[in-house]
Amino acid sequence: MRQIPFHYAVRNLGRSPVRLATSLIGASLVVVLVLASGGFVRGMQVTLSENARLHENVMIIGIGSEEGVERSQIDASVAGIAAASVPRLTQRAGVIYASPEIHAALPVRESSESQADLPAVMRGVREVALLVHPEVEIVEGRAPRAGADEVMVGALAATRLGVSQERLAIGRTLWFDDREWTVVGRFRAPRTVMDAEVWIPLTDLQIATNRESSLSCVVVTLGGAKFSDVDLFVKSRLDLEVTAIREHDYYASIGEFYGPIRVMILVTAALIASGGVLGGLNTMYAAFAARVREVGMLQAIGFTRVAIVASLVEESVLASACGAIIGALIGVVLLDGVAVGFSMGAFALTIDAPVMLAGIVVGLGVGVVGAIPPAVRCLRLPIPEALKSF
Amino acid sequence: MALIECRGLTREYKKGDNIIRPLDGLDLDVERGEFVALMGPSGSGKTTLLNLVAGIDSPTRGELTVDGVALGSLSRNKLAAWRAQHVGYVFQLYNLVPVLTAYENVELPLLLHALSRRERHGRVMTALQRVGIADRHDHYPRQLSGGQEQRVAIARAVVTDPTILVGDEPTGDLDASAAEAVMALLGELHDDLGKTIIMVTHDPKTAACAERTLHLEKGRLVREAGAMEGAAV
Ligand SMILES: Nc1ncnc2c1ncn2[C@@H]1O[C@H](COP(=O)(O)OP(=O)(O)O)[C@@H](O)[C@H]1O
Ligand SMILES: [Mg+2]
C-alpha cells in the first residue's frame, strides 16, 4: 500500500490553529492527569511495597496487631529475649540487629499556644534502628539524644504534618506531652514510610505515651538467620504473645488496604481522560468533515481508504504526541516528587519509567482513538458524493 | 475492440420506494485516442456516466470494460489501483490540496507508482511545463488564479500518463479566456499525445473542440454527432 506523504499530515496540522491548540492542550492535560494519578498510585505503592525490599527485616509484633503496628503492645523484654534466642541474626561490633520500637500516631502542636493538632507519625527508637533500617540517612544535624527533648524528622514529615519544610528546620521546636521538643536532625529514607516519620529516642516516647515497659514491635535483620528461625522463636515463646511478619509483607498488606482507593483514583482519572477524548473527537469531526471533498479526490486518484485513514490518524497522533511531550515535561517539572499526605504517612508522587510510559501511551492513544471515528466518518460517503460535497 | 465499451450500462439509486435511474441501459463505444464531449441537460446522467468510466462508481447492471478490464469485477482496492494506473480525472472545482504546492499536488498521483524521486521530478516538471506553469511550481493553490489552478489539476491528471483522461465540466468555473486556454490545452494533449479524453460540458463552444459529441437525456443517449456534422446543423 502506498502512503500519503508525511508532509501532508504535518502541514494539515496548520490548517486549523484552533483545532491544533485544542489537540495540544487536550493531549497534554490528559497526560498530566495520567502522570498525576499514576504518580500518586505508584508513589503509594512504592512506599508500601518497596519498603524493606532490599533488606530482609522481620517484625516481631503483638498477636492480633498484624494489621496495625500502632495498636501492638508487647513487653519491653522481647527485644533482649529475641536477640538472645534467635540464632544468626545480623550482628556488628557486638550489636545484634534487633531494634525495639514504638510506632505511634500522635497529635503534636506547633507551640503551647497553638490549638491545632497536627497528625504526626512517631517512631521511638534506639541507635540500633539506624542499623536495622539502613535506608535512613541523616542528611543534616544528628540523631536525637535521650532525655534531652530532641527529635529528628524525615523528609516528608512536614507534608504529613501539613507545615512548611522551614517549620521543621533544625533548631525549630514542636509541642507535645506538655513540652517543647527541638528538631536536631533531618533524615531521608526515600520510598519508605519512614520518610514521613518523626523519630524520637525510645525511652522518651515510652514516657510520653505512658508505656514505660512496653514496645510496639521489635524489628530484626535476618542475616544468617531464616524467617523460620524467628517464627520458631515466637511459636516457642507463647508466653510473650508475639508473632513474626516480614516487614515487606506487613507494608504490602497495608498497601492492599489502600487498593480500592488506588482503583478509585485510576477510574476517576480514566473518566476525566475519556471526557477529554470525547471533546477531542468533536474538534476532529469538524476538522475532517471540512475535508470530505479532498478525501474524495485522494480516493479518485487512487489512494486507498486505509492509506487515507492512516494519514489522518498520523496527523492526529502528531498533534497528540506534541501535547504528550508538553504534558510529560509539565509532569516531570511540576509533579515528580511532590509530597502527598495520607492517613498513615506521606509519600512522594513517583513519576518513574512505568508511569511515564503509561502517560505517553495514553497521550498517543488519545490521538489514535480521537482520529479513527472522525476519519472513518469522513470516508463514509461514496466517492461521487464526496466529490460533490462542500 | 473499442477502448471503452458500455453494454446496457445502468446505474440506479433507491430512494424509499422510488428508484432513480440516472443511467438507463446505455450502449457506447469509445475508441483509443478519441476526444469525446458529453452534453445534456442538468441531471441527465453525465457525471454518473463519467464516474463509472473513471472507476469511482460501480454500475447496478450492465457491462463496462476499459482497455479489456471489466471494471465491475474489481474489488474496491483493485479498483483504486486501477484508477491510479489508468485514469486522470479533472474536476470542475480543481480539487487541489491546499497545503501542498503546485509541484507536490502534481507529484501526488505519482506516489502510487513505482518511481524514484528523480524520475518523479522529471515527470512532474514535464507536466508542469506542458501546462505552462513550471515557473510557479512552488506556489500554493491559494496563490494561483482559477485558470492556473485548473492547469495544475490537468498536469496532475496527465502526469501518470493515464489510459483515459476524464473531465467533469473542467471549464465550468472559469472565465471565458481561462476556459479557452484550458480547452486549447486539452486539445493539445489529444493532438500531440493521442490522449483518449471524455469531457462533460454545458458549453457547445467547448464541445466543439471534441471530435465527437454525445447527448444524454434522462440517462439515455439521444443523438450522436461528429464535430463536423454538429457544426453543420
Ligand atoms: N447518490 C445519488 N443518490 C440519488 N440520486 C442521485 C445520486 N447521484 C446522482 N443522482 C441523481 O442522478 C441524476 C443524474 O445525476 P448526474 O449524473 O449528476 O447528472 P448531470 O451530471 O448530468 O447533471 C440526477 O437526477 C441526480 O439527482
Ligand atoms: Mg454533473
Short mmCIF file of all heavy atoms in Angstrom, two decimals, chain A residues 184-205:
data_model
loop_
_atom_site.label_atom_id
_atom_site.label_comp_id
_atom_site.label_asym_id
_atom_site.label_seq_id
_atom_site.Cartn_x
_atom_site.Cartn_y
_atom_site.Cartn_z
N VAL A 184 16.68 18.28 65.98
CA VAL A 184 18.15 18.32 65.95
C VAL A 184 18.71 17.61 64.71
O VAL A 184 19.91 17.69 64.44
CB VAL A 184 18.78 17.69 67.21
CG1 VAL A 184 18.40 18.48 68.45
CG2 VAL A 184 18.37 16.22 67.33
N GLY A 185 17.84 16.92 63.99
CA GLY A 185 18.35 16.22 62.80
C GLY A 185 17.27 16.07 61.75
O GLY A 185 16.08 16.12 62.05
N ARG A 186 17.73 15.95 60.52
CA ARG A 186 16.80 15.67 59.42
C ARG A 186 17.34 14.46 58.66
O ARG A 186 18.53 14.36 58.42
CB ARG A 186 16.70 16.89 58.48
CG ARG A 186 16.09 18.11 59.18
CD ARG A 186 16.04 19.31 58.24
NE ARG A 186 15.28 19.00 57.03
CZ ARG A 186 13.95 19.12 56.94
NH1 ARG A 186 13.25 19.55 57.97
NH2 ARG A 186 13.35 18.83 55.82
N PHE A 187 16.43 13.55 58.35
CA PHE A 187 16.88 12.36 57.61
C PHE A 187 16.01 12.14 56.39
O PHE A 187 14.93 12.73 56.25
CB PHE A 187 16.86 11.12 58.52
CG PHE A 187 15.49 10.70 59.00
CD1 PHE A 187 14.73 9.81 58.24
CD2 PHE A 187 14.94 11.19 60.18
CE1 PHE A 187 13.46 9.41 58.68
CE2 PHE A 187 13.68 10.80 60.62
CZ PHE A 187 12.94 9.91 59.87
N ARG A 188 16.54 11.35 55.50
CA ARG A 188 15.69 10.91 54.39
C ARG A 188 15.75 9.40 54.29
O ARG A 188 16.76 8.78 54.61
CB ARG A 188 16.10 11.57 53.07
CG ARG A 188 17.57 11.48 52.71
CD ARG A 188 17.88 12.41 51.55
NE ARG A 188 17.25 11.96 50.31
CZ ARG A 188 17.80 11.11 49.46
NH1 ARG A 188 19.00 10.62 49.71
NH2 ARG A 188 17.20 10.74 48.36
N ALA A 189 14.62 8.84 53.88
CA ALA A 189 14.51 7.39 53.67
C ALA A 189 13.56 7.23 52.49
O ALA A 189 12.43 6.81 52.65
CB ALA A 189 13.97 6.70 54.92
N PRO A 190 14.07 7.62 51.30
CA PRO A 190 13.18 7.72 50.14
C PRO A 190 12.43 6.41 49.90
O PRO A 190 12.98 5.33 50.07
CB PRO A 190 14.11 8.02 48.98
CG PRO A 190 15.43 8.35 49.55
CD PRO A 190 15.45 7.88 50.97
N ARG A 191 11.20 6.56 49.48
CA ARG A 191 10.36 5.43 49.10
C ARG A 191 10.04 4.49 50.24
O ARG A 191 9.78 3.31 50.02
CB ARG A 191 11.00 4.64 47.95
CG ARG A 191 11.21 5.51 46.73
CD ARG A 191 11.67 4.71 45.57
NE ARG A 191 11.38 5.43 44.33
CZ ARG A 191 11.36 4.89 43.14
NH1 ARG A 191 11.60 3.61 43.01
NH2 ARG A 191 11.09 5.59 42.08
N THR A 192 10.12 4.98 51.45
CA THR A 192 9.69 4.17 52.58
C THR A 192 8.76 5.02 53.44
O THR A 192 8.77 6.25 53.35
CB THR A 192 10.87 3.72 53.47
OG1 THR A 192 11.32 4.84 54.22
CG2 THR A 192 12.02 3.17 52.64
N VAL A 193 7.97 4.36 54.27
CA VAL A 193 7.06 5.10 55.15
C VAL A 193 7.85 5.94 56.15
O VAL A 193 7.36 6.95 56.63
CB VAL A 193 6.11 4.15 55.90
CG1 VAL A 193 5.16 3.47 54.94
CG2 VAL A 193 6.88 3.12 56.70
N MET A 194 9.09 5.52 56.43
CA MET A 194 9.87 6.24 57.44
C MET A 194 10.15 7.68 57.04
O MET A 194 10.32 8.56 57.88
CB MET A 194 11.20 5.50 57.69
CG MET A 194 10.98 4.14 58.33
SD MET A 194 12.49 3.21 58.58
CE MET A 194 12.86 2.62 56.94
N ASP A 195 10.14 7.93 55.71
CA ASP A 195 10.42 9.27 55.20
C ASP A 195 9.46 10.31 55.79
O ASP A 195 9.78 11.49 55.85
CB ASP A 195 10.32 9.25 53.66
CG ASP A 195 11.36 10.14 53.01
OD1 ASP A 195 12.34 10.49 53.70
OD2 ASP A 195 11.18 10.47 51.83
N ALA A 196 8.28 9.87 56.20
CA ALA A 196 7.27 10.81 56.70
C ALA A 196 7.20 10.83 58.23
O ALA A 196 6.32 11.45 58.80
CB ALA A 196 5.90 10.45 56.11
N GLU A 197 8.14 10.14 58.87
CA GLU A 197 8.02 9.99 60.33
C GLU A 197 8.85 11.01 61.11
O GLU A 197 9.76 11.65 60.57
CB GLU A 197 8.47 8.56 60.72
CG GLU A 197 7.51 7.49 60.22
CD GLU A 197 8.00 6.08 60.52
OE1 GLU A 197 9.18 5.90 60.89
OE2 GLU A 197 7.18 5.17 60.37
N VAL A 198 8.49 11.12 62.38
CA VAL A 198 9.31 11.87 63.33
C VAL A 198 9.93 10.82 64.26
O VAL A 198 9.22 10.00 64.83
CB VAL A 198 8.44 12.84 64.16
CG1 VAL A 198 9.29 13.53 65.22
CG2 VAL A 198 7.76 13.85 63.24
N TRP A 199 11.26 10.82 64.35
CA TRP A 199 11.94 9.83 65.19
C TRP A 199 12.37 10.47 66.51
O TRP A 199 12.85 11.61 66.53
CB TRP A 199 13.16 9.23 64.46
CG TRP A 199 12.76 8.13 63.50
CD1 TRP A 199 11.54 7.97 62.94
CD2 TRP A 199 13.60 7.08 63.01
NE1 TRP A 199 11.53 6.88 62.12
CE2 TRP A 199 12.79 6.30 62.14
CE3 TRP A 199 14.92 6.71 63.22
CZ2 TRP A 199 13.27 5.19 61.48
CZ3 TRP A 199 15.42 5.60 62.56
CH2 TRP A 199 14.58 4.83 61.69
N ILE A 200 12.25 9.69 67.54
CA ILE A 200 12.44 10.22 68.89
C ILE A 200 13.05 9.09 69.72
O ILE A 200 12.79 7.93 69.45
CB ILE A 200 11.05 10.68 69.41
CG1 ILE A 200 11.06 11.14 70.85
CG2 ILE A 200 10.00 9.61 69.27
CD1 ILE A 200 9.70 11.78 71.22
N PRO A 201 13.90 9.41 70.66
CA PRO A 201 14.50 8.32 71.45
C PRO A 201 13.42 7.47 72.11
O PRO A 201 12.41 7.98 72.58
CB PRO A 201 15.33 9.07 72.50
CG PRO A 201 15.66 10.37 71.84
CD PRO A 201 14.46 10.71 71.00
N LEU A 202 13.65 6.16 72.13
CA LEU A 202 12.63 5.21 72.58
C LEU A 202 12.11 5.53 73.98
O LEU A 202 10.91 5.62 74.20
CB LEU A 202 13.20 3.78 72.53
CG LEU A 202 12.24 2.69 73.03
CD1 LEU A 202 11.05 2.56 72.10
CD2 LEU A 202 12.98 1.35 73.14
N THR A 203 13.04 5.74 74.91
CA THR A 203 12.60 5.96 76.29
C THR A 203 11.74 7.23 76.39
O THR A 203 10.76 7.25 77.14
CB THR A 203 13.82 6.09 77.23
OG1 THR A 203 14.75 6.98 76.63
CG2 THR A 203 14.47 4.74 77.45
N ASP A 204 12.10 8.26 75.64
CA ASP A 204 11.31 9.50 75.67
C ASP A 204 9.88 9.23 75.22
O ASP A 204 8.92 9.73 75.80
CB ASP A 204 11.95 10.56 74.77
CG ASP A 204 13.28 11.06 75.34
OD1 ASP A 204 13.60 10.65 76.48
OD2 ASP A 204 13.96 11.83 74.65
N LEU A 205 9.76 8.43 74.15
CA LEU A 205 8.42 8.18 73.64
C LEU A 205 7.65 7.26 74.59
O LEU A 205 6.44 7.40 74.77
CB LEU A 205 8.48 7.58 72.23
CG LEU A 205 7.12 7.51 71.49
CD1 LEU A 205 6.47 8.89 71.39
CD2 LEU A 205 7.28 6.91 70.10
#
